Amino acid sequence: MFYCGGDWAETHYDVALVNDAGDLLAKRRIMDDTEGYQILVDLFADHGDGPDTRIPVCIETSRGLLVALLNQGGRQVYAINPMAASRYRDRHGVSRKKSDPGDALVLANILRTDRHVHRPIPADTPQARAVAVLARAQQDALWNRQQLSNQVRSLMREFYPAALDAFATWQNLLCRPEARVILRVAPTPAKAAKLTKTQLCAALRRAGRVRGIEAEADRIKGVLRGTYAHQPPEIEAAMGVQLLGLLRQLGAACLAADDLAAQAEEAFRNHSDSKVMLSFPGIGTQFGARILAEIGDDRTRFADARALKAYAGSAPITRAFGKKLHVGRRMIKNDWLSHAGYLWAFAALTKSEGANAHYRARRERGDWHAAGLRHLFNRMIGQLYHCLQTNQPFEEHEAFPSSLPDAA
């Protein structure tokens, strides 16, 4: 048996090939392209690689063109956490020196000695991987949008509190198109105080508002013409220019988030698992896309529902210290899936009587709000695992059966 380790850089890979005894048979530096992939395949072929004896590869990343080519070739690729790889490096030397060829050898030896405790990259379909790309990009766009919104809000608190008070009744505040249109028309308090009702109505219509335009324009006009403290005119004008620059970035972030959300929802609906996932209470197209992006569609990825629960961070973990025993929540988990699961459980409270009753029962037993939602998510993700394995939709009476007194 042979094992390959690859230490990746921005433009190249250092690969090392070892046998069962740990002897270094070959080492190469290849580029991250088709030519480098062909060199690696030829190296494998020189050492007996074939359809029935695929040489596994260990790399510190699960992304990149080389990883994609290896996956398409049906080869097992193991993605090792760089922190774990650094611990293995200490087994081969005490100087803690780091070199790319040396790290490639360390990664190859990880497979040689501890392959049974590591898992290969899941064999998800291209459709599931496409959903993962879009769902994660949409989540990143939302976080970026919120970060820019916070920057705009922080700037406006310094010189433009009237606009914040005028938009305070709107949901999402500065992310709404009405707020951005009005701020582009009047980026400073001096200009805002001169806005007429007609100008405000026109701005609201350009933003897409169709109801209550005149009443909203009267309300905003009264707030903008209120009594507030002001910066000196020169500083106020400079801050207005800065505000316009941030508004351009915020507008682009809002547009990107909306476009990515639509693309992710479309890709999720076209996936075969979407019908099963959408049958669960609280799962919409965006939540479904996020959950599918993290669990994939490889049915052999998780040995059982307990493995999926541990991966999601919903299952508790037990730690023993001498005579002490502590049961607490998991800190090492998939944060993307854990965040989506918290929102999923919260949305299910109003969509499922059984989920609501389960949550209330946990609160009566002393759980806090977050712990109750985590416990509900732990139960529902186990049900999701079962439904995906058996390809059957969610059934309320089977997922949350009534008690015997209620049934009687």
Side-chain angles (χ1 to χ4, degrees):
M1 192 66 186
F2 300 96
Y3 308 92
C4 177
D7 185 78
W8 70 279
E10 184 176 354
T11 58
H12 66 270
Y13 282 83
D14 284 282
V15 296
L17 195 66
V18 300
N19 58 11
D20 285 333
D23 299 326
L24 178 62
L25 304 180
K27 61 179 181 179
R28 298 284 190 279
R29 171 165 288 188
I30 61 175
M31 297 296 107
D32 189 10
D33 53 16
T34 55
E35 182 179 355
Y37 174 70
Q38 188 59 46
I39 294 175
L40 186 60
V41 171
D42 294 341
L43 178 63
F44 290 161
D46 294 340
H47 292 83
D49 183 69
D52 299 329
T53 57
R54 295 283 188 179
I55 297 177
V57 181
C58 181
I59 306 179
E60 289 181 327
T61 180
S62 60
R63 301 179 179 180
L65 292 175
L66 183 63
V67 175
L69 292 173
L70 291 172
N71 280 327
Q72 293 174 16
R75 192 178 305 276
Q76 283 190 332
V77 180
Y78 293 78
I80 306 298
N81 189 295
M83 184 175 294
S86 67
R87 300 299 184 268
Y88 277 97
R89 190 186 304 120
D90 294 339
R91 297 170 55 182
H92 299 274
V94 297
S95 63
R96 294 190 175 183
K97 64 178 181 179
K98 186 183 185 306
S99 66
D100 293 343
D103 286 349
L105 180 60
V106 169
L107 292 170
N109 282 314
I110 289 177
L111 286 188
R112 183 179 65 87
T113 58
D114 293 333
R115 182 182 180 184
H116 60 285
V117 299
H118 296 284
R119 293 188 298 178
I121 295 176
D124 294 329
T125 61
Q127 292 79 11
R129 295 177 185 174
V131 173
V133 171
L134 292 172
R136 290 179 179 177
Q138 190 261 344
Q139 183 66 74
D140 286 336
L142 286 180
W143 289 338
N144 184 38
R145 184 185 71 179
Q146 188 59 46
Q147 183 179 14
L148 288 171
S149 176
N150 292 339
Q151 292 180 18
V152 173
R153 183 177 180 274
S154 178
L155 175 63
M156 293 176 64
R157 286 177 58 88
E158 297 183 12
F159 83 109
Y160 205 167
L164 293 178
D165 293 342
F167 307 148
T169 58
W170 292 347
Q171 189 177 8
N172 292 334
L173 198 61
L174 298 174
C175 294
R176 293 179 65 95
E178 297 98 316
R180 300 199 304 274
V181 171
I182 293 176
L183 289 176
R184 282 196 292 267
V185 174
T188 62
K191 293 182 179 181
K194 298 178 181 179
L195 287 178
T196 63
K197 179 180 178 180
T198 303
Q199 291 174 324
L200 288 172
C201 290
L204 292 175
R205 289 191 180 93
R206 287 199 304 272
R209 194 180 184 95
V210 294
R211 295 181 180 178
I213 293 179
E214 293 189 0
E216 194 68 12
D218 286 332
R219 184 190 65 83
I220 295 175
K221 177 183 175 182
V223 176
L224 293 180
R225 295 192 177 185
T227 302
Y228 292 91
H230 290 271
Q231 294 276 3
E234 294 82 1
I235 298 178
E236 185 177 281
M239 288 185 170
V241 174
Q242 181 184 4
L243 177 60
L244 289 175
L246 289 175
L247 287 175
R248 295 189 187 95
Q249 300 179 46
L250 180 59
C254 293
L255 182 62
D258 295 340
D259 183 58
L260 287 170
Q263 296 293 332
E265 291 175 8
E266 182 180 358
F268 171 70
R269 291 193 190 96
N270 294 333
H271 196 276
S272 58
D273 289 346
S274 61
K275 295 182 179 179
V276 175
M277 300 182 71
L278 289 176
S279 66
F280 277 75
I283 292 186
T285 51
Q286 287 195 23
F287 280 167
R290 294 182 190 179
I291 295 173
L292 177 61
E294 302 309 321
I295 66 176
D297 57 0
D298 182 7
R299 297 291 183 260
T300 63
R301 180 177 183 179
F302 302 101
D304 50 22
R306 295 179 60 186
L308 176 57
K309 293 177 180 180
Y311 178 72
S314 60
I317 186 171
T318 303
R319 301 185 183 276
F321 306 92
K323 296 182 179 180
K324 297 181 180 180
L325 189 67
H326 172 71
V327 179
R329 64 187 182 95
R330 292 179 180 268
M331 303 301 295
I332 306 300
K333 59 185 181 300
N334 186 316
D335 292 332
W336 300 78
L337 182 56
S338 178
H339 179 261
Y342 179 88
L343 298 177
W344 170 25
F346 184 75
L349 296 180
T350 58
K351 302 297 182 181
S352 170
E353 295 182 359
N356 194 4
H358 181 86
Y359 169 77
R360 297 301 173 188
R362 295 303 307 182
R363 292 301 303 271
E364 291 175 359
R365 293 181 60 177
D367 285 357
W368 288 10
H369 172 70
L373 289 181
R374 185 167 58 249
H375 198 279
L376 176 60
F377 170 50
N378 185 60
R379 179 168 179 172
M380 297 188 71
I381 198 171
Q383 297 166 357
L384 177 62
Y385 175 86
H386 172 75
C387 291
L388 290 175
Q389 292 289 336
T390 58
N391 195 25
Q392 60 180 352
F394 174 85
E395 296 291 345
E396 176 80 15
H397 64 278
E398 294 183 6
F400 300 98
S402 303
S403 61
L404 292 178
D406 293 339

